[in-house]
Amino acid sequence: MSVVEEYQPVFTGKTLDRLREIFTRYPTKAAAMLPALWLVQEARGWVSDRSMVEVGELLGVTPAHVRGVVTFYTMFHQHPVGRNFVQVCTTSPCNLCGAEDVVQAFLEHTGARELGATSPDGAWTVTEVECLGACGFATPVLVNADFVESVTPERVPEIVRKYK
Amino acid sequence: MPDPNGLVNLTIDGAPVSVPKGTLVIEAAKQAGILVPHYCYHPGLPVAGVCRMCLVEIEKAPKLQIACATPVTDGMVVHTQSRQARDGRMGVLELLLINHPLDCPICDQAGECELQDFTFQEGRPATRYSPAYAKRFNPVEDFGPDVLFVPNRCILCTRCVRFMEDVAQEPVLNVSERGDRAYIGIHPDARLDHPWAGNVVDLCPVGSLLSKDFLHKARAWELDKTASICTGCSQGCNITLDTRDDVVVRIRPRPNLAVNRYFICDHGRMNYRWMNRGDRSEAPLVRQPDGTARAVDWDEALERAAAILRGAGGAAVALISPRVSTEALFLARELLASFEWTGAYQLVMGEEAPLAGVPDLALRAERAPNARGADLLGYGPDYAAALRAAEQAAVVLVLDDPQAAVRPAGALIYLGTVPPEDGSDPGADGTLRSAELVLPIANVAEEEGTFVNRDGRVQRYVQAKPAPGMAQPAWWVLGALGARLGRGTAPASAAEVFDRLAASVPAFAGLSYANLGLGGRVIGADAGVPA
Amino acid sequence: MGFPHNPHARETVLLSQYFGDPEARSYKGWVKRGGYEALQQALAMPPAAVTDVVKESGLRGRGGAGFPTGLKWTFMPKEKDKKKPHYLCVNADESEPGTFKDREIMRWTPHALLEGTLITMHAIQADVAYIYIRGEFTEPFAVMEQALAEATAAKALGTFKIYLHKGAGAYICGEETALMSSIEGKRGNPRIKPPFPAAFGVFGMPTTINNVETLAVVPHIITHGAAWHKAMSLSSPKSTGTKLFSVCGHIQKPGNYEVTMGFPLKDLVYELAGGMRPGRTLKACIPGGSSVPILNREETERCLLDYEGCVAEGTLLGSGGVIVFDDSADMVYQIMRLARFYAHESCAQCTQCREGTAWTTKILERVLAGQGKMQDLDLLLDLAENMTGKTICVLSDSCAAPVVSGIKKFRGEFEDYIAGRRRAMVA
């Protein structure tokens, strides 16, 4: 016997109200795709296949269309990630300024150990990202929605402590 | 200078071409007999311009242009074979092949693969992609009832995605991920089970989308291809019957912009196994006084039939299948002309399944190809009344309606592709199995003929394989019988029957096999037009 | 939080005047600094007159392509079809490696962008504007959100509607047609042109797309006039006004520097941005964001920062992202990083880009791993040729540019890896 976990819709109450307000901004419902997916990720931390079906139903597009979009944009998580999601910019300008050492420091201090993997306590996932658009503030790091500039390996322990 | 006919004049590879305004260079080139290699472009789909294979040089343009997205302009000079254009396309081919598995020996598409063809034509002789690099790998996926996806062979032309999105208008396929990680995706809850989904297999220029039905059944070069008409419904989609060693192994659409454009539905696509049935009527059977049936030659069988018809008078009934050729229906009617005759067909109905993106194209509810032809020749749909009339008739002619549950008082002649299937015991009195004569006829794959589709378009189909045993086309049987009854000479071909039909039935006036061609003509629209 | 520097004497601060001034972020603070006066002035003019002023000013798009802004606006239908709303898309998807100017404009002077947006909407008779801000720009997004709320409350928008649209991680959405696809809720795929956005843009309607910096300049042009803007030019008369240059990489004082068009790159690097780190010398410089050809030291020291000056040195002004490499930089590795960036960001539509960017990266990785062959360099160049000028958008060309210029100017470094003179890197 298998137990199928029942899916709880994201878009109820206030979240649904927010989506309805977003619908007013565009001439088509389908255009609310990115905002709707952001709302899903805000609520669930990632975008599951079932959530794609829900978004598709609300926007009048097929789940396959939603999936094509979700997989195009790197900021949408297709799998659950750690409570704290760290994105370190490692594109050329930051690389010149030592971004790779910053990545190593995060992997070490968070216990995530491997890029893309989640730490055993479920608290951290660390990834490399391409250009965060703050090359003059190398190395920029996004911790969840917080943009942290000029991160050096030395500053990493303090940042990790702050989010623990 | 503007052309007086409103045409645009241009030069392609030195050849002058005149085409209507708005024509794309790739289509204009076709008119000059030049096929510009391409993958993503398909005339039945919206232009994507992504494969970049159809690069051509256009004078005065700063860089190579894609022929599939560039409309012609007056005075344009196009070079498809210049060094620059060939290098551009060779570059695309090289890149399409770096991640391709090159598993042609086990690929169903081999022999009809556009990647093979164009690589052979203008690809690089050897790869420069180091064998040290792993090729992209994704496992085979089951997309739907008849579609298998082999992602490793995919070149991401997106024809399948665009077909489902714009033509079927049920976008269940997508492009997932980005860059060289991209692949054709489907949502885990979705299935590629649209009634027209099978077209993605034909559209796929490589062996990435495959028909499970055809999987490993034949190599493309072993196939003989014959123009035919789908018998699945009254739409009359133009098809090709692919045969291997006289067995129909696949049905594919044959383009006809006026009927089915480039597509056929899955119902039609799968509607061929019966054409290969082994349990066929193979010899004429004549009822003996003791009730048993005896196999005889055609001479004896026709003589017996002629005797029956000569000796009878009064009412006659024809029970016909709406899958029988117009030619046979015409001759059957001629044969019964001296009687007070009625003719009827039984029409199987099903669910209509339209192809949303193409106007007037659907799997039609009427699941037979020639009901319109039967109507035009005086047959009617009141099958029950005809069955009742048959009980009193002097002669009943059953034309490939093996399930006819008829109990005639008079003589019963059955022309059929298959033995009677009315379920009664062989030889039982007053059923199809007790017919005086059972005459074996060819099925649609085994003869030449025409059908008239729901819109009145008369369309020819051609013989793809021999008929089994002694079976003959119905037109031959009926024509020979007519000759024995003294009604002129026996027709020598289906074309000749059609000529007689055109001369005698006003609706068909002016039509002939020659002017029907393989695209067909609409009754009325063409009436009276000399050949 | 990164804080801007005090302007250098040789800077011409126009856009960056209030960088670092928190009060300028508020609606009230902006009005106090003369904000929204240009809007009132523009609204009193016929739309075509506003366009004429911008056209006359010589302003060219600051997003990278350098297309004349006023001319672009004239492509919009003059007679507005009631059934066809006009749209303005504001490109705030700043993602070009080396560039971080739009971020600072939005962070510090959000109302400058809103004001420029409103003036432009008036000029092109737009009903709705979408400001497409890349998803990673969390702080600029919050600042813009606040500014928009304040401006709306102050009724500064009139009947115009402005919405913020948040991206979700895709460099290619900075390409104008990809940006439109993204707003429509699709994959950010660039589209074939024609049709051009002015005829068939977002939602199939007439659309203009402008970069943040371009729009932020517009109020200044309205206030001071076309002649004033046109006069700001140190070299070529075809390049006018000021430009924000984002300086980063191996440099003492990274940051945004605003100088008049035609300013010497040498002075920007050595003087304004503080020059090299002690003991280091300049090896190379990318002047316009990662998509443009790399300059060597001599070219860098000759190059004048305007559209024509960059072309004269075989490169492009691009978005003004100046990436500086000193003599410690491993050019092979850096070029591989750039190629990897483009391979990661390719939208997957065109064959040359999808496969070519990834293959280029693989070859470079192999060279770095000490397993390269001399033929690999020719292969890279041939591949780059195949990737240039043959695709829908220029992402593929952008990947090829640093490879071609890198091999041409720093061939020795590649050969050192191949010949085993340089220690191989383990991938």
Side-chain angles (χ1 to χ4, degrees):
Chain A
M1 202 182 91
S2 66
V3 181
V4 179
E5 209 177 308
E6 203 165 308
Y7 177 78
Q8 299 296 326
V10 173
F11 294 96
T12 56
K14 280 193 178 134
T15 316
L16 185 59
D17 292 342
R18 278 173 75 185
L19 184 65
R20 287 198 180 117
E21 185 277 316
I22 289 165
F23 280 149
T24 66
R25 303 177 191 176
Y26 307 97
T28 66
K29 272 193 170 181
M33 179 71 76
L34 264 51
L37 292 171
W38 276 120
L39 288 176
V40 170
Q41 188 150 304
E42 200 180 292
R44 299 287 152 87
W46 65 296
V47 185
S48 67
D49 285 341
R50 194 60 193 80
S51 294
M52 294 182 205
V53 174
E54 188 189 355
V55 169
E57 279 165 5
L58 286 162
L59 270 59
V61 297
T62 60
H65 178 87
V66 182
R67 193 178 170 83
V69 173
V70 170
T71 57
F72 186 88
Y73 297 94
T74 49
M75 292 184 82
F76 294 130
H77 306 313
Q78 297 169 54
H79 304 283
V81 295
R83 278 197 307 284
N84 295 305
F85 188 71
V86 180
Q87 307 178 65
V88 185
C89 176
T90 55
T91 309
S92 293
C94 292
N95 182 273
L96 288 172
C97 302
E100 280 172 10
D101 298 335
V102 176
V103 172
Q104 284 311 316
F106 268 107
L107 288 175
E108 202 176 301
H109 290 280
T110 59
R113 289 173 195 280
E114 216 178 301
L115 283 170
T118 299
S119 61
D121 60 358
W124 295 92
T125 304
V126 180
T127 62
E128 283 186 4
V129 288
E130 295 295 353
C131 192
L132 283 177
C135 325
F137 307 93
T139 294
V141 175
L142 256 177
V143 185
N144 307 325
D146 300 339
F147 205 97
V148 192
E149 292 170 350
S150 310
V151 178
T152 54
E154 295 72 41
R155 282 187 60 201
V156 169
E158 162 213 325
I159 294 169
V160 170
R161 252 197 312 280
K162 193 179 152 198
Y163 288 91
K164 220 153 198 175
Chain B
M1 207 191 303
D3 186 284
N5 302 316
L7 296 176
V8 176
N9 298 303
L10 67 157
T11 310
I12 304 179
D13 290 350
V17 186
S18 297
V19 290
K21 192 168 178 272
T23 305
L24 299 167
V25 170
I26 199 166
E27 288 295 335
K30 279 184 195 167
Q31 305 217 1
I34 297 157
L35 178 70
V36 183
H38 60 275
Y39 294 113
C40 69
Y41 175 77
H42 188 282
L45 300 174
V47 170
V50 295
C51 77
R52 316 305 288 181
M53 185 61 201
C54 63
L55 288 170
V56 294
E57 191 180 334
I58 296 177
E59 286 185 11
K60 294 188 187 127
K63 51 187 186 178
L64 296 176
Q65 302 290 312
I66 48 171
C68 75
T70 311
V72 294
T73 55
D74 236 339
M76 186 183 255
V77 181
V78 182
H79 302 285
T80 72
Q81 297 301 316
S82 69
R83 179 67 197 263
Q84 219 198 341
R86 287 187 71 103
D87 281 354
R89 296 199 299 267
M90 190 167 78
V92 173
L93 283 168
E94 178 178 36
L95 290 167
L96 286 176
L97 287 171
I98 60 173
N99 278 303
H100 192 83
L102 299 171
D103 56 348
C104 310
I106 56 156
C107 176
D108 265 356
Q109 192 83 2
E112 54 188 17
C113 173
E114 289 166 47
L115 190 56
Q116 271 187 333
D117 292 349
F118 295 135
T119 300
F120 188 74
Q121 194 174 308
E122 45 188 45
R124 211 169 250 290
T127 184
R128 296 182 292 181
Y129 194 67
S130 164
Y133 308 140
K135 292 202 177 203
R136 179 167 57 230
F137 178 83
N138 286 300
V140 171
E141 252 185 277
D142 182 6
F143 267 3
D146 188 43
V147 185
L148 206 60
F149 175 47
V150 185
N152 298 344
R153 297 177 187 148
C154 179
I155 58 168
L156 278 170
C157 72
T158 71
R159 280 189 194 175
C160 54
V161 179
R162 282 174 287 142
F163 175 80
M164 291 312 296
E165 187 160 331
D166 296 287
V167 184
Q169 297 181 2
E170 190 184 285
V172 295
L173 297 181
N174 65 28
V175 176
S176 285
E177 300 293 341
R178 261 184 358 208
D180 75 330
R181 290 87 60 209
Y183 61 91
I184 300 298
I186 189 166
H187 190 274
D189 292 353
R191 294 281 287 163
L192 188 58
D193 55 5
H194 186 275
W196 292 75
N199 287 293
V200 300
V201 175
D202 308 328
L203 290 167
C204 182
V206 296
S208 192
L209 293 171
L210 300 173
S211 159
K212 293 186 207 167
D213 181 66
F214 185 66
L215 197 66
H216 304 327
K217 226 185 206 174
R219 307 300 297 179
W221 52 86
E222 300 168 332
L223 300 177
D224 292 311
K225 293 173 182 291
T226 310
S228 192
I229 299 297
C230 180
T231 58
C233 79
S234 58
Q235 177 75 36
C237 290
N238 291 208
I239 56 167
T240 301
L241 294 181
D242 286 358
T243 50
R244 181 195 174 194
D245 298 338
D246 296 334
V247 175
V248 181
V249 291
R250 179 171 72 173
I251 289 181
R252 296 190 115 186
R254 181 163 55 86
N256 186 332
L257 296 184
V259 182
N260 53 308
R261 289 181 66 78
Y262 308 91
F263 314 116
I264 54 168
C265 72
D266 289 7
H267 174 78
R269 190 181 294 273
M270 293 302 153
N271 186 24
Y272 69 87
R273 286 181 197 276
W274 56 271
M275 295 177 196
N276 302 324
R277 271 180 73 162
D279 58 337
R280 296 280 297 275
S281 284
E282 294 197 14
L285 300 176
V286 174
R287 183 72 47 199
Q288 300 300 302
D290 65 358
T292 59
R294 185 168 65 89
V296 298
D297 63 16
W298 274 108
D299 193 48
E300 189 180 338
L302 291 170
E303 200 42 57
R304 176 76 178 270
I308 292 169
L309 291 169
R310 266 191 223 108
V317 172
L319 299 170
I320 59 120
S321 156
R323 298 154 81 116
V324 170
S325 72
T326 318
E327 289 75 3
L329 293 176
F330 168 69
L331 291 175
R333 157 185 140 154
E334 294 297 292
L335 205 59
L336 301 179
S338 60
F339 294 83
E340 264 174 58
W341 78 283
T342 37
Y345 55 83
Q346 194 171 350
L347 199 51
V348 175
M349 302 295 280
E351 205 175 314
E352 181 150 319
L355 183 59
V358 181
D360 300 323
L361 181 55
L363 163 62
R364 302 296 176 178
E366 314 86 46
R367 298 286 209 260
N370 208 20
R372 182 74 195 276
D375 289 337
L376 287 164
L377 290 166
Y379 299 84
D382 197 348
Y383 189 77
L387 264 187
R388 281 195 302 276
E391 288 172 17
Q392 312 301 327
V395 174
V396 176
L397 181 67
V398 177
L399 198 44
D400 208 22
D401 185 3
Q403 289 170 340
V406 62
R407 293 175 175 278
L412 175 61
I413 301 172
Y414 169 63
L415 276 74
T417 53
V418 292
E421 290 174 359
D422 66 348
S424 63
D425 296 330
D429 274 348
T431 70
L432 201 50
R433 289 186 187 225
S434 67
E436 301 281 324
L437 281 160
V438 174
L439 303 176
I441 56 169
N443 69 27
V444 66
E446 298 155 357
E447 64 167 17
E448 202 174 353
T450 58
F451 293 136
V452 186
N453 84 348
R454 66 197 305 272
D455 302 315
R457 178 172 288 268
V458 186
Q459 304 190 99
R460 290 174 58 192
Y461 59 86
V462 182
Q463 182 179 357
K465 67 189 187 81
M470 294 165 71
Q472 290 284 358
W475 64 261
W476 182 91
V477 177
L478 296 163
L481 196 47
R484 277 178 196 256
L485 291 170
R487 314 224 177 112
T489 53
S493 65
E496 195 184 323
V497 180
F498 191 81
D499 288 342
R500 291 187 195 178
L501 157 69
S504 117
V505 184
F508 293 85
L511 299 179
S512 69
Y513 271 20
N515 70 21
L516 288 179
L518 285 175
R521 280 192 172 201
V522 176
I523 272 169
D526 293 315
V529 176
Chain C
M1 199 56 55
F3 221 74
H5 57 271
N6 287 321
H8 188 277
R10 293 185 66 192
E11 282 190 69
T12 311
V13 286
L14 204 62
L15 297 172
S16 56
Q17 188 181 357
Y18 299 109
F19 283 7
D21 174 357
E23 218 187 88
R25 284 174 159 186
S26 69
Y27 179 78
K28 273 188 190 160
W30 192 248
V31 169
K32 208 160 94 187
R33 285 159 183 77
Y36 290 104
E37 277 171 23
L39 174 63
Q40 293 315 315
Q41 202 179 326
L43 289 176
M45 296 159 68
V50 178
T51 302
D52 283 344
V53 172
V54 173
K55 208 169 150 186
E56 187 53 34
S57 75
L59 176 64
R60 292 168 68 174
R62 303 300 197 222
F67 194 84
T69 305
L71 184 62
K72 191 189 249 188
W73 294 358
T74 64
F75 297 155
M76 292 292 278
K78 306 282 171 300
E79 294 300 320
K80 210 172 143 186
D81 180 341
K82 280 214 170 64
K83 276 175 262 164
K84 288 190 164 185
H86 290 190
Y87 289 98
L88 172 67
C89 292
V90 181
N91 191 342
D93 190 52
E94 183 175 59
S95 316
E96 176 81 4
T99 316
F100 47 96
K101 63 190 177 62
D102 298 340
R103 173 177 190 262
E104 298 304 286
I105 293 172
M106 290 189 284
R107 283 174 79 200
W108 296 111
T109 59
H111 290 283
L113 176 58
L114 289 179
E115 190 176 0
T117 299
L118 289 163
I119 294 170
T120 307
M121 289 176 82
H122 173 61
I124 64 165
Q125 304 182 66
D127 306 85
V128 178
Y130 296 108
I131 304 182
Y132 189 104
I133 303 176
R134 63 178 296 189
E136 295 87 343
F137 276 179
T138 49
E139 196 210 350
F141 191 91
V143 174
M144 286 303 300
E145 214 169 23
Q146 170 76 20
L148 184 59
E150 287 178 21
T152 306
K155 302 207 177 347
L157 267 58
T159 58
F160 296 119
K161 289 193 167 66
I162 299 178
Y163 300 113
L164 305 184
H165 189 95
K166 188 179 178 187
Y171 165 77
I172 193 56
C173 289
E175 196 278 344
E176 61 176 11
T177 56
L179 184 141
M180 298 190 310
S181 299
S182 186
I183 290 177
E184 290 170 5
K186 301 171 187 160
R187 291 167 64 85
N189 287 343
R191 307 173 185 175
I192 297 177
K193 290 186 275 191
F196 290 96
F200 192 91
V202 73
F203 305 112
M205 298 299 157
T207 303
T208 294
I209 297 153
N210 285 128
N211 170 260
V212 167
E213 186 183 358
T214 312
L215 293 179
V217 183
V218 169
H220 295 278
I221 295 174
I222 298 298
T223 304
H224 302 289
W228 162 85
H229 189 262
K230 214 174 170 181
M232 282 194 288
S233 174
L234 299 176
S235 173
S236 166
K238 287 181 183 169
S239 298
T240 63
T242 63
K243 172 90 189 79
L244 280 168
F245 288 93
S246 310
V247 187
C248 61
H250 288 151
I251 193 80
Q252 287 277 46
K253 287 165 40 185
N256 279 295
Y257 297 87
E258 188 174 10
V259 293
T260 305
M261 282 287 191
F263 194 84
L265 174 56
K266 171 183 68 177
D267 295 352
L268 175 68
V269 171
Y270 293 140
E271 202 180 322
L272 276 59
M276 302 296 104
R277 296 176 291 177
R280 290 292 173 191
T281 56
L282 183 99
K283 182 198 265 185
C285 176
I286 300 180
S290 64
S291 303
V292 309
I294 305 171
L295 299 178
N296 62 23
R297 183 174 171 176
E298 294 72 45
E299 291 161 336
T300 304
E301 292 179 351
R302 263 200 318 260
C303 185
L304 296 178
L305 287 171
D306 59 18
Y307 298 103
E308 293 69 27
C310 287
V311 169
E313 294 303 333
T315 187
L316 295 160
L317 185 72
S319 55
V322 180
I323 310 172
V324 180
F325 303 85
D326 69 22
D327 55 349
S328 71
D330 179 338
M331 295 313 286
V332 182
Y333 184 75
Q334 290 307 325
I335 290 163
M336 184 279 288
R337 292 290 322 194
L338 289 177
R340 188 189 279 180
F341 170 80
Y342 291 107
H344 182 258
E345 300 297 336
S346 167
C347 85
Q349 284 194 110
C350 301
T351 306
Q352 291 93 335
C353 181
R354 180 182 67 241
E355 306 292 344
T357 52
W359 190 8
T360 300
T361 309
K362 281 183 182 172
I363 298 170
L364 289 167
E365 282 169 348
R366 239 166 96 85
V367 169
L368 283 164
Q371 291 160 0
K373 300 191 181 82
M374 284 301 171
Q375 305 93 284
D376 283 347
L377 301 185
D378 293 334
L379 177 57
L380 280 170
L381 292 174
D382 198 49
L383 200 51
E385 167 64 30
N386 192 14
M387 290 163 63
T388 304
K390 297 187 180 67
T391 46
I392 295 176
C393 80
V394 294
L395 192 140
S396 176
D397 307 55
S398 300
C399 179
V403 172
V404 172
S405 54
I407 293 178
K408 199 168 132 200
K409 294 167 190 178
F410 304 97
R411 196 176 180 104
E413 292 192 33
F414 289 83
E415 289 176 350
D416 284 349
Y417 271 110
I418 294 168
R421 288 191 291 268
R422 201 184 262 234
R423 228 177 92 198
M425 284 191 180
V426 184

